[in-house]
Amino acid sequence: MKIYIMRHGEAEGFTGHSFKSDNERKLTEQGQLEAQLMAAWLLKKNINFNHIFVSPFVRAQQTCAQLFKVLDFEAITLDFITPSGDAVQVHDFIDGLIAAQEEQKVAVNESIAIDKSLLIVSHMPLISYLVSEFTHGAHSPIFTTAGIAEINYDTTKMRGKFVRMVSPSDLY
C-alpha cells in the first residue's frame, strides 16, 4: 500500500488579513499554483486513491479543491488532522480502516488489492510527525508548501518505508 502525505499550499500570513483564527487562513495565489502543480504530478503518476482525508482548515480544503479539478475523487474531512493533531491517533485510525476493509474483503472472498493508496492533506507539524509515525521514527521531514511524502506501507507489519519527498519546485 502507498500512503501519500501532503502539506497544503502556501497560505496567507497572520498579519494584514481579516481572519479570526488560524483555521480560516486561505491559500495565496502561489498556494493555488502549488496545489495545481502537485495535482498534475499525482495525475501523471496515475494513482488510484482508495481514500483521501483532508483537514477541516480552509487552506487544506482549498488545496484539495485544486486536486479535485484534475483527479476524480472525493475527500473525507477529518477533524483530528489539524496542525495540533495526534500522529498516533491518525496512525491508529488508518490501521483500523485497513484492517476493517481487509476483513470485509475476506468475508466476501475477494482478493485484497495490493495497489491501494491513500492521501492525507494536512499541516505542519502534524504531517512531519505522521511520516515519523508511519515509518517508526525513521524519517521526520520538513515539508515545503504543497510538498508530498510517499511511503510504502506494509499493512501486515503496520510499518512503512519512506520513499521520497516531492515538492512543487521539483516539478519545474
Side-chain angles (χ1 to χ4, degrees):
M1 169 177 208
K2 297 270 191 178
I3 296 176
Y4 296 89
I5 301 173
M6 180 179 191
R7 183 179 181 190
H8 59 79
E10 179 186 82
E12 298 172 323
F14 287 98
T15 57
H17 297 284
S18 62
F19 53 81
K20 294 179 177 143
S21 69
D22 183 42
N23 64 349
E24 296 175 1
R25 291 174 50 216
K26 297 177 182 177
L27 290 182
T28 63
E29 188 175 319
Q30 175 68 28
Q32 298 278 351
L33 292 171
E34 291 169 344
Q36 291 166 10
L37 273 171
M38 297 313 289
W41 178 77
L42 289 169
L43 180 65
K44 186 177 179 179
K45 286 188 57 71
N46 197 30
I47 301 166
N48 294 314
F49 290 112
N50 299 83
H51 299 284
I52 294 88
F53 301 110
V54 61
S55 161
F57 285 24
V58 171
R59 58 192 180 273
Q61 293 285 324
Q62 289 178 319
T63 298
C64 251
Q66 291 300 320
L67 301 178
F68 296 157
K69 290 180 180 180
V70 297
L71 302 173
D72 184 27
F73 69 82
E74 292 185 25
I76 297 170
T77 300
L78 297 178
D79 290 340
F80 57 90
I81 59 171
T82 61
S84 61
D86 181 347
V88 173
Q89 178 187 14
V90 177
H91 190 184
D92 289 347
F93 171 80
I94 297 299
D95 285 346
L97 177 71
I98 292 166
Q101 288 181 331
E102 289 180 358
E103 284 178 20
Q104 183 180 24
K105 286 184 179 185
V106 169
V108 294
N109 289 327
E110 290 182 19
S111 63
I112 297 172
I114 58 171
D115 65 340
K116 293 188 235 180
S117 295
L118 68 86
L119 173 66
I120 299 169
V121 180
S122 191
H123 317 264
M124 287 292 291
L126 175 65
I127 54 177
S128 186
Y129 297 146
L130 281 176
V131 174
S132 180
E133 178 66 25
F134 284 123
T135 63
H136 290 258
H139 288 84
S140 186
I142 302 298
F143 283 69
T144 61
T145 52
I148 297 176
E150 181 179 346
I151 298 169
N152 282 335
Y153 193 71
D154 184 331
T155 59
T156 59
K157 295 179 181 176
M158 296 184 179
R159 169 176 252 175
K161 181 180 179 198
F162 180 82
V163 175
R164 64 181 161 167
M165 177 73 75
V166 179
S167 69
S169 64
D170 296 328
L171 305 178
Y172 55 83

